[in-house]
Amino acid sequence: MSASQFGSRFVITSFGESHGTALGVVIDGCPAGVRFDSEILKKELERRRPGHHGSGQIVSGRQEADAPEVLSGVFEEKTLGTPIAIIVRNQDARSQDYKEIKNSPRAGHADDMWRNKFGHSDHRGGGRSSGRETVSRVMAGAVAQMLLKETSPKTRVMGYASQIGPFSLTPDERVQVPSKNIDSFQARFPSNRDVEVAELLKSAQESGDSYGGVAEILIENPPAYLGQPVFHKLKSDLAQAFLSVGATNGFELGLGFESAEVKGTEFHQGTQEAYGGIRGGISTGESILLKVSFKPTSSILDVAKKGRHDPCIVTRAIPVLEAMTWLVLADHWLWSKTDRI
Amino acid sequence: MSASQFGSRFVITSFGESHGTALGVVIDGCPAGVRFDSEILKKELERRRPGHHGSGQIVSGRQEADAPEVLSGVFEEKTLGTPIAIIVRNQDARSQDYKEIKNSPRAGHADDMWRNKFGHSDHRGGGRSSGRETVSRVMAGAVAQMLLKETSPKTRVMGYASQIGPFSLTPDERVQVPSKNIDSFQARFPSNRDVEVAELLKSAQESGDSYGGVAEILIENPPAYLGQPVFHKLKSDLAQAFLSVGATNGFELGLGFESAEVKGTEFHQGTQEAYGGIRGGISTGESILLKVSFKPTSSILDVAKKGRHDPCIVTRAIPVLEAMTWLVLADHWLWSKTDRI
Amino acid sequence: MSASQFGSRFVITSFGESHGTALGVVIDGCPAGVRFDSEILKKELERRRPGHHGSGQIVSGRQEADAPEVLSGVFEEKTLGTPIAIIVRNQDARSQDYKEIKNSPRAGHADDMWRNKFGHSDHRGGGRSSGRETVSRVMAGAVAQMLLKETSPKTRVMGYASQIGPFSLTPDERVQVPSKNIDSFQARFPSNRDVEVAELLKSAQESGDSYGGVAEILIENPPAYLGQPVFHKLKSDLAQAFLSVGATNGFELGLGFESAEVKGTEFHQGTQEAYGGIRGGISTGESILLKVSFKPTSSILDVAKKGRHDPCIVTRAIPVLEAMTWLVLADHWLWSKTDRI
Amino acid sequence: MSASQFGSRFVITSFGESHGTALGVVIDGCPAGVRFDSEILKKELERRRPGHHGSGQIVSGRQEADAPEVLSGVFEEKTLGTPIAIIVRNQDARSQDYKEIKNSPRAGHADDMWRNKFGHSDHRGGGRSSGRETVSRVMAGAVAQMLLKETSPKTRVMGYASQIGPFSLTPDERVQVPSKNIDSFQARFPSNRDVEVAELLKSAQESGDSYGGVAEILIENPPAYLGQPVFHKLKSDLAQAFLSVGATNGFELGLGFESAEVKGTEFHQGTQEAYGGIRGGISTGESILLKVSFKPTSSILDVAKKGRHDPCIVTRAIPVLEAMTWLVLADHWLWSKTDRI
């Protein structure tokens, strides 16, 4: 297992610096015969781009065309069973903005940690600690999605912001989430208070401030019996997947921390919501509900204002979390093929 | 990477069913020359045993001598650089108690999931989905601890319950945690309300009820610069490690979910506590604070009352979480040896 | 991938020193539902024991009962899908014989290499560099064989000595190999010159000399389409498997080195024998023929004469090579389950 | 471990079809701070190109510029400790030549095996079973070489043909190998009979025939104590590495199969040549001598004559075998850093 590698069966290797030549991913382990739907790939990359899911523009202004190029593993629109390599070239790399960062690392940012660890770093735009690295994850996740679309067509992965700074979804709003078009909300916060949230973020961006938040991932109709005891329970691989995303600092399955206060007799007579669709580390086939918390973005000091950063990372992180979810599902779906003879 | 394997450099493979012949672990990747301190091994196994850390008896009544036997990898009290295998035999396997479970799986329990997944399961006491599997983790964690004791002698891993059902540590109690002898508290809840907590749990046990809770792990003086970008950040490997423990359903680093409500300007001027000692996925060398939530124990129905289970799993899980922490630290300490030439 | 681990799907971890407490293996990745036939396990261990396959006694005199104990992963004579741990205790550990070796390493032997590498070694009987480590392989191979027996019942793995020192099988003897009971020949050399070979070895043992040799593995009716391009071709994993056995120094598939002299037009109009049943790294379903060469045993000097060693390792290595073959087949059989959707 | 991945510490993932968009490799695990010498990369790719090491033209006529593009992991001419991705675009992909192969697979070739295994294949030029895949290996090997150049500057890897069809090096020629400029010989056969060999091959090419051969790899001044017992001995990882190259069917360390005929007393009083520089699976620091046999090229039938193939693959395979050697050395050099505390 190497550092930029994820998965045990559907194995991806991510590469690329924020301001280097290109970002990319190699997927090794995708079976042959999967229909390769380029539209899914393009759509997911588009959804990851700043300000392109809704009408607003409350996120970092970096604009990359992000046109994916499939280098291998696909022929006549089907996967070959060989490694699938996909890259995106960096075009809009305003490294000028970041030059002065070289000697003045951003507070709370990964830059200085990486420099000390490796003794040498690409200081331009955070190098590989930049959020731009997630392009690779989104591309790999799109392929994982293609695999699941064929093998478990009813499975749906839906991410949304349930909290952005002081704003949280109300119980009523929550109930309606599955019927909403999340991307039609500027901050992917499915509420009619979405405009207020957008204004808060705009004002934070102007004043050099930022907010944390919470994203939720709802998996509807997941395949049942995914998860490998004991160290690759579905919940533990999902936790690793989500916590590998920058700025995350919390993970919950179902009730999560709230369950500490609930008596067992109440918890277990409760519905699937309490345990979140995973029991004994294995998917039951019921909906899986996951929550991920994000700290406020760190690029808030003077030097970085010129950098193009988000006042709240949650909105943009949602396609990334969805991608990580598809990857874990694809990995475990393949793994489950050898559970028994 | 196989299902019962954890770690990339300090690689452990856990094995054993709750009511099988033995539980054990093989550690492959521990360097040669580490002093093998059997006292650490025995002490940690003792700390994992029910009712043996304090004076009380508020946990499951199973009593195993849990005498570890080192089968390989150690010679003249030093590690050989070869695989270290350690086993513990099951002596007190009252499988009679569990016989009727065969056809009536416990609600919310892993038993029935495993049976459906694998088509065949060891129904006695949960087989490998039992908490008894954690014996293997504790033994491996003890060896990881031995490695760190020599290479990073100031590092200390300290686990405690910060919430048990309705009881939470007060801010004052929290501050005093590092100076407390956690094991002297019946429920490892370092508060003078410990007796009340113990009574609550006793009463829950009698009435067939249970509580969830929250455990915290404080790592003092961790080695700096541990963690491998991007999929093996220290936080992501810790999250995987903790969520692989049964009954867990939440993980937080530093402020965690609370940080969603904090403005960036406040968060980042804050101390190490906010971000929890890990930045960019890499340890800073400052204390690391982690939280893990547990759902209420599931064995609350009639059939299982005869089984010997805990009204709250948090207390017993603490040595297990500590072991997983040592394992992640040892793994990443070894990994960091090749960060640069 | 750790040092004592083999396989990508059917993953084994071997442990144990020659004169330590026990040797063992953990198999992680064996599917649930495989009938666990203890007789296969016992028989293969018996076949590995010195002097127990035929009537003679031309091998090292160490006598271990080698009673395997299954610690986990099997219930009601079926595999559980959980790790299968099997151990054998060391009873007859005449470490006295080896004491003087501590300061006088055996020429050409691994002892001194390991000591220098690890800075610390178990000098008794070669520690883990001893041939006794192969007990673990034979046990794991027996389980792999059980898996194949159910999923590919016609597959047969047959090992024999084709050369021992100056003696080689004649073309006629070769043709008759598949119909022979190999274990009925003292040196597993299927020829009526077997007695002469045995005498040669006996005399070599007395004079402190030794011989090399060649073992062949014939796989009849292997599953077709095993092998993963490009680094886990069936031939490359077999080569790794065989070269991981002590004293080996050569590997051939089909014609091997001889094919250097054959014109392409002749080679390819030839039968399966030329390419050995593997094309493009993938099994065709036809018989696979493999050869492994062994250097003369190294323990020939005075100090080691007291140690109990074989004048030719080939005979005893055959069950070990067969075990490695079953392991590779099981690993790739599982792997092939996800070649396509 | 995935199918197109090699190495445990210096981990490479190869990708790309012969007639697809590009070939490439990602190296994950190379430490930070290694000077990235583009000249080594270019030179090794050049050496791999047909007919470019000497003056002759006795190999397949495919002409690719093979200009490598480094996409990530390198900054200011030093490695960053992050994944290094390098690609080469396919320009000269005469897939027209191969169209008719779609329905008439080449005898003895991997094409039809892959098609049956995966149910779908890129029939153009062998897809990924083509020798062109080795571009990825050569690029990765160049980076491994850069790592060793800094950490073990005296280490030298030298490949040459020791046999091509009926021609073998004489003992005298063998002794002089280390002083020769191998690439100055048309067929990398370091003998004054090189011209005769070239003529034989030219005539074979014209008549649609081919020859097998033997390549040797001599490692001078390797780092000592590389190799991980028991399944990752240096010899077993080298065997896997070499046998993963197309058309190989044999491997020898030192005397190899010849040692079967040598008495132990002679073998062990012999020099390093007998055992080949590896003992107990671990490098001694002395020169390592390895041999690899190749079957005659398979593309000899009518349909493939139009394809551009070599009458003997050995000459071109030499830079590939050297690359695999550097990869194994880099992998094990990194691995050895954690042998002891």
Side-chain angles (χ1 to χ4, degrees), chain B residues 9-28:
Chain B
R9 297 295 184 268
F10 192 94
V11 180
I12 70 164
T13 307
S14 151
F15 60 87
E17 276 70 45
S18 168
H19 288 61
T21 304
L23 288 114
V25 72
V26 183
I27 302 154
D28 198 10

Side-chain angles (χ1 to χ4, degrees), chain B residues 180-196:
Chain B
K180 297 289 185 186
N181 174 6
I182 303 300
D183 283 357
S184 69
F185 295 89
Q186 287 189 57
R188 290 193 171 110
F189 180 76
S191 158
N192 54 21
R193 290 170 296 152
D194 186 43
V195 181
E196 294 167 59

Side-chain angles (χ1 to χ4, degrees), chain C residues 1-6 8-9 12 14 107-110 112-119 128 133 137 163-165 208-214 225-233 235-237 239-240 243-253 255-257 259-265 267-268 279-280 282-284 291-298 300 324 335-336 339-340, chain D residues 1-6 8-9 12 14 107-110 112-119 128 133 137 163-165 208-214 225-233 235-237 239-240 243-253 255-257 259-265 267-268 279-280 282-284 291-298 300 324 335-336 339-340:
Chain C
M1 191 57 66
S2 60
S4 286
Q5 195 179 320
F6 183 79
S8 291
R9 297 294 184 267
I12 71 164
S14 150
H109 204 280
D112 52 340
M113 297 305 302
W114 286 47
R115 190 171 318 154
N116 289 331
K117 180 181 181 70
F118 293 115
R128 191 154 166 71
E133 178 269 333
R137 303 173 185 233
Q163 183 178 355
I164 288 183
D209 211 333
S210 64
Y211 287 98
V214 176
Y225 309 123
L226 299 193
Q228 292 292 335
V230 295
F231 292 120
H232 290 278
K233 293 181 170 121
K235 63 178 178 175
S236 49
D237 279 7
Q240 187 194 30
L243 265 296
S244 76
V245 175
T248 56
N249 60 4
F251 169 84
E252 288 185 324
L253 166 65
L255 270 187
F257 282 87
S259 64
E261 289 156 33
V262 183
K263 272 192 173 185
T265 38
F267 183 93
H268 293 286
R279 278 195 292 162
I282 296 169
S283 65
T284 62
K291 294 172 196 163
V292 186
S293 65
F294 290 80
K295 63 176 189 184
T297 328
S298 55
I300 52 173
M324 295 310 295
W335 207 335
S336 72
D339 283 346
R340 26 166 141 174
Chain D
M1 191 57 66
S2 58
S4 287
Q5 194 180 320
F6 184 79
S8 292
R9 296 295 183 267
I12 71 163
S14 152
H109 203 281
D112 52 339
M113 296 306 302
W114 287 47
R115 190 169 319 152
N116 289 331
K117 180 181 179 70
F118 292 116
R128 193 156 166 72
E133 178 270 332
R137 303 175 185 231
Q163 183 179 355
I164 288 184
D209 211 332
S210 65
Y211 287 99
V214 176
Y225 309 122
L226 300 193
Q228 292 292 335
V230 295
F231 293 119
H232 291 278
K233 293 182 170 124
K235 62 178 179 174
S236 49
D237 279 7
Q240 187 194 31
L243 266 295
S244 76
V245 175
T248 55
N249 61 4
F251 169 85
E252 289 185 325
L253 166 66
L255 270 188
F257 282 87
S259 63
E261 289 156 32
V262 183
K263 271 192 174 185
T265 38
F267 184 94
H268 293 287
R279 278 195 294 163
I282 295 169
S283 65
T284 63
K291 294 172 195 162
V292 185
S293 65
F294 288 81
K295 65 177 187 182
T297 328
S298 55
I300 52 172
M324 295 310 296
W335 207 336
S336 73
D339 283 346
R340 27 166 139 174

Side-chain angles (χ1 to χ4, degrees), chain D residues 47-48 55 57 187 277 283 297 321:
Chain D
R47 291 182 63 226
R48 187 201 154 277
S55 51
Q57 186 68 22
S283 65
T297 328
L321 297 176

Side-chain angles (χ1 to χ4, degrees), chain D residues 82-127:
Chain D
T82 59
I84 301 166
I86 316 177
I87 62 168
V88 161
R89 290 189 176 269
N90 288 321
Q91 298 173 326
D92 173 31
R94 284 193 230 162
S95 61
Q96 194 60 28
D97 289 4
Y98 292 92
K99 266 209 175 148
E100 50 197 296
I101 293 170
K102 188 169 183 179
N103 297 312
S104 55
R106 291 172 282 178
H109 203 281
D111 295 15
D112 52 339
M113 296 306 302
W114 287 47
R115 190 169 319 152
N116 289 331
K117 180 181 179 70
F118 292 116
H120 174 54
S121 74
D122 183 346
H123 53 79
R124 302 167 303 168

